[in-house]
Amino acid sequence: MKHENINQSSFGMIGLGTMGSNLLQNIADHGYSCSGYDNDPKKVDTVNKLGNDNIHAFSDIKDFVQNLKSPKIVMMLVPAGKIVDSVIAELLQVMDKGDIIIDGGNSHFTDTEKRFEDLEKKGYHFVGMGVSGGEEGARKGPSMMPGGDKKAYETIKPILEKIAAHVNGAPTVAYMGERSAGHFVKMVHNGIEYALMQLISETYEFMKSGLQMDDKEIHDVFKKWNEGRLKSYLIEITRDIFAYKKKGEDHLFFNDIKDEAKAKGTGKWTSQAAMDLAVPVPMIDIAVSMRDLSKYKELRTEASKLYPDATKSDLKDKTESIEKLEQAFYFSMVSAYAQGMHLLDQANVEFKYNLNLDVIAKIWRGGCIIRSEFLEDIYAAYKNNPKLAHLFLDDSIHKSLVKSIPGIRNVVSEAVLSGIAVPTYSVALSYFDNVRSEEMPANLIQAQRDFFGSHTYELKGKEGVFHTDWEDPNH
């Protein structure tokens, strides 16, 4: 493999934590000389001790930048927020106009929008890039979602395509679109991730409390599912979690973990953006809410004493129930992706990103956390019809979804009757039933709004906006 001159690095990385270090090693493994910078001397020392001739780390930002060939390419992997702005300010003191700055962290897309405009005015190229795949993805091949300066992307494209994961020979990286498009796409990716994780946790609860299955039986179900149409990274790691025991212990380790889920905020951002764009993403919304509710352990413990579980599950036929659960999971999984893609479609209209939904589905097929067998179907759907308004309208997905309807209705009904909380399953079904409704009961809401607030309404088959004095005795 060709090794470049260490004094003329092709790529610079700021932030030498596990993600930054792994990504640098990935780049170096593909023959590129890299430079790294961190203000923590221990992290710098750790990277320099890797013994990789293609990597050299610095604790002085000026030395770091001087080691890069022009145009200089510097990627930041630092916590979102003010730290990103402070690092950019430092870089502008030592970089030249025409150089490329990449933000590879989980920045909010509105921050990326401002940074793009500011740096463009100052003569710098800025790329906001979502990176998914975790530590292992960074080392072996992530999925990357760069947006912003198209000219800059063309410069960094050869490196990114080499270090990305590959599916059927195609790299899981592509130009997403204008300005903050990359970080918006990554945000929606994370929102879908929240929904799928909550869905899997409810599936576990249904098997455990409803079907009275033990951990080994549950492991076997996830193992089987990962060999079929539900095959995905999240199902795969869930299967492995249900097999992991600490050395010398005879019980599954995850049972020792507190039932209080943490979050870094990207799911909430997805819900907020969807609200602003008036796009319903109820599965993502409820997943965020359930993580929030999990934190109120003391409240839940107190309430559990006041409202003990008085219902008993009557699900005796496990085989039939698991078949229906598989249908329900497929149905809900489709809905989670469909809601996320619908949000991307509407954001494209509002923000003029020039997104290509088939390209997004294509690069999500490998490397990222929400990679799954079903993404092949999503890719095919948008490839076949780039103007597809909603995944539910695709012919192939429609056929599979219809076959899964009995399963989702059964699981939601049985869960409710058994006192088992399945909020994502429930909203997946309610969302579907409303999407397929030619008429919703929203006419009553309009009448109520007009009654108490004179907010007016429109009438069927009649042009104009109207108001009624609902309390007029002479109507």
Side-chain angles (χ1 to χ4, degrees):
M1 186 178 286
K2 177 177 171 280
H3 290 268
E4 297 179 335
N5 184 345
I6 191 66
N7 294 317
Q8 283 292 295
S9 288
S10 298
F11 198 95
M13 177 71 69
I14 293 182
L16 300 180
T18 307
M19 280 289 288
S21 173
N22 282 3
L23 209 55
L24 266 189
Q25 292 176 72
N26 186 352
I27 296 168
D29 286 347
H30 287 87
Y32 294 98
S33 265
C34 313
S35 294
Y37 164 77
D38 202 292
N39 57 13
D40 182 346
K42 288 182 181 177
K43 289 179 181 174
V44 172
D45 192 46
T46 299
V47 169
N48 282 329
K49 284 180 178 175
L50 290 170
N52 192 318
D53 292 339
N54 269 359
I55 304 175
H56 192 61
F58 300 84
S59 53
D60 182 284
I61 197 164
K62 192 172 183 181
D63 292 343
F64 159 72
V65 170
Q66 285 178 345
N67 200 56
L68 300 170
K69 65 170 69 168
S70 292
K72 299 177 181 69
I73 301 169
V74 174
M75 178 173 173
M76 301 177 290
L77 269 177
V78 299
K82 292 179 180 178
I83 294 177
V84 176
D85 292 314
S86 66
V87 172
I88 290 174
E90 269 192 280
L91 284 172
L92 296 189
Q93 302 299 313
V94 290
M95 291 180 77
D96 302 314
K97 289 184 178 181
D99 287 343
I100 299 168
I101 299 173
I102 306 165
D103 177 9
N106 271 334
S107 289
H108 195 283
F109 76 96
T110 54
D111 292 336
T112 301
E113 193 83 15
K114 292 171 190 170
R115 289 164 189 151
F116 175 83
E117 291 173 5
D118 182 55
L119 288 167
E120 188 177 47
K121 287 175 189 171
K122 291 175 179 174
Y124 296 87
H125 300 288
F126 185 64
V127 174
M129 183 168 77
V131 180
S132 181
E135 296 170 9
E136 184 182 1
R139 187 69 185 88
K140 298 178 181 177
S143 176
M144 292 170 285
M145 297 148 253
D149 195 305
K150 184 106 186 251
K151 187 179 176 183
Y153 174 70
E154 291 302 323
T155 301
I156 61 179
K157 179 180 175 181
I159 298 176
L160 298 184
E161 287 192 341
K162 281 192 176 181
I163 67 170
H166 285 71
V167 176
N168 301 329
T172 56
V173 62
Y175 178 71
M176 293 289 95
E178 308 291 335
R179 309 177 318 280
S180 59
H183 277 135
F184 193 94
V185 171
K186 176 56 164 52
M187 177 189 73
V188 174
H189 165 286
N190 286 21
I192 296 170
E193 180 185 306
Y194 271 60
L196 294 175
M197 290 172 74
Q198 177 65 27
L199 185 66
I200 293 170
S201 74
E202 291 172 21
T203 305
Y204 153 55
E205 177 70 4
F206 186 85
M207 287 191 277
K208 177 187 172 186
S209 300
L211 299 176
Q212 303 295 307
M213 292 169 65
D214 61 31
D215 289 337
K216 175 64 170 64
E217 290 175 305
I218 295 171
H219 166 269
D220 292 344
V221 170
F222 284 123
K223 182 176 184 291
K224 185 178 179 181
W225 284 5
N226 200 52
E227 294 163 358
R229 63 176 178 172
L230 302 184
K231 180 179 173 64
S232 67
Y233 174 71
L234 286 171
I235 292 289
E236 178 188 315
I237 66 168
T238 304
R239 173 203 68 192
D240 293 347
I241 288 168
F242 270 88
Y244 182 82
K245 295 177 182 178
K246 285 264 189 178
K247 194 173 181 180
E249 296 184 355
D250 60 358
H251 68 282
L252 295 184
F253 175 67
F254 93 97
N255 286 317
D256 293 338
I257 297 174
K258 276 184 168 184
D259 61 327
E260 297 177 56
K262 303 290 192 294
K264 289 190 174 179
T266 46
K268 178 183 72 176
W269 292 349
T270 310
S271 287
Q272 289 172 332
M275 291 278 183
D276 291 339
L277 291 167
V279 181
V281 289
M283 288 185 71
I284 297 171
D285 296 340
I286 200 67
V288 174
S289 293
M290 290 304 101
R291 285 204 194 184
D292 289 340
L293 182 58
S294 77
K295 297 167 191 172
Y296 290 89
K297 178 70 173 178
E298 193 176 322
L299 169 64
R300 291 188 289 115
T301 301
E302 193 173 342
S304 71
K305 294 169 185 172
L306 283 174
Y307 304 98
D309 187 6
T311 56
K312 292 293 179 186
S313 173
D314 193 30
L315 300 171
K316 293 185 175 66
D317 190 335
K318 286 184 186 178
T319 303
E320 184 184 350
S321 294
I322 290 297
E323 286 175 6
K324 288 175 180 174
L325 185 60
E326 192 272 350
Q327 289 181 5
F329 189 95
Y330 175 82
F331 182 98
S332 303
M333 175 189 70
V334 171
S335 190
Y337 282 108
Q339 290 169 38
M341 299 308 282
H342 190 212
L343 175 56
L344 288 172
D345 182 57
Q346 294 305 300
N348 202 27
V349 174
E350 180 70 22
F351 301 136
K352 297 179 174 58
Y353 278 147
N354 292 325
L355 300 175
N356 292 300
L357 299 194
D358 64 315
V359 172
I360 294 170
K362 184 180 180 182
I363 68 162
W364 281 354
R365 294 178 306 163
C368 71
I369 302 301
I370 65 169
R371 61 184 185 265
S372 68
E373 198 75 14
F374 180 63
L375 274 159
E376 294 287 355
D377 295 342
I378 301 177
Y379 173 48
Y382 286 110
K383 190 75 176 169
N384 180 55
N385 181 8
K387 294 184 178 179
L388 184 68
H390 197 285
L391 276 178
F392 285 177
L393 303 182
D394 175 74
D395 185 55
S396 176
I397 291 172
H398 159 252
K399 288 174 182 173
S400 298
L401 213 55
V402 166
K403 291 176 185 175
S404 300
I405 291 173
I408 183 71
R409 295 203 186 284
N410 177 269
V411 166
V412 171
S413 301
E414 292 289 357
V416 170
L417 291 171
S418 301
I420 300 168
V422 286
T424 45
Y425 278 106
S426 299
V427 296
L429 180 57
S430 293
Y431 174 79
F432 168 79
D433 280 336
N434 275 299
V435 168
R436 70 177 186 85
S437 297
E438 185 177 354
E439 290 199 11
M440 288 173 62
N443 55 328
L444 177 57
I445 294 171
Q446 282 301 88
Q448 291 170 330
R449 292 178 73 246
D450 189 59
F451 192 115
F452 66 68
S454 301
H455 293 299
T456 72
Y457 52 82
E458 295 171 68
L459 290 171
K460 298 174 184 176
K462 195 172 182 179
E463 291 293 320
V465 177
F466 304 91
H467 166 62
T468 291
D469 183 353
W470 297 85
E471 295 180 290
D472 179 3
N474 300 315
H475 73 280

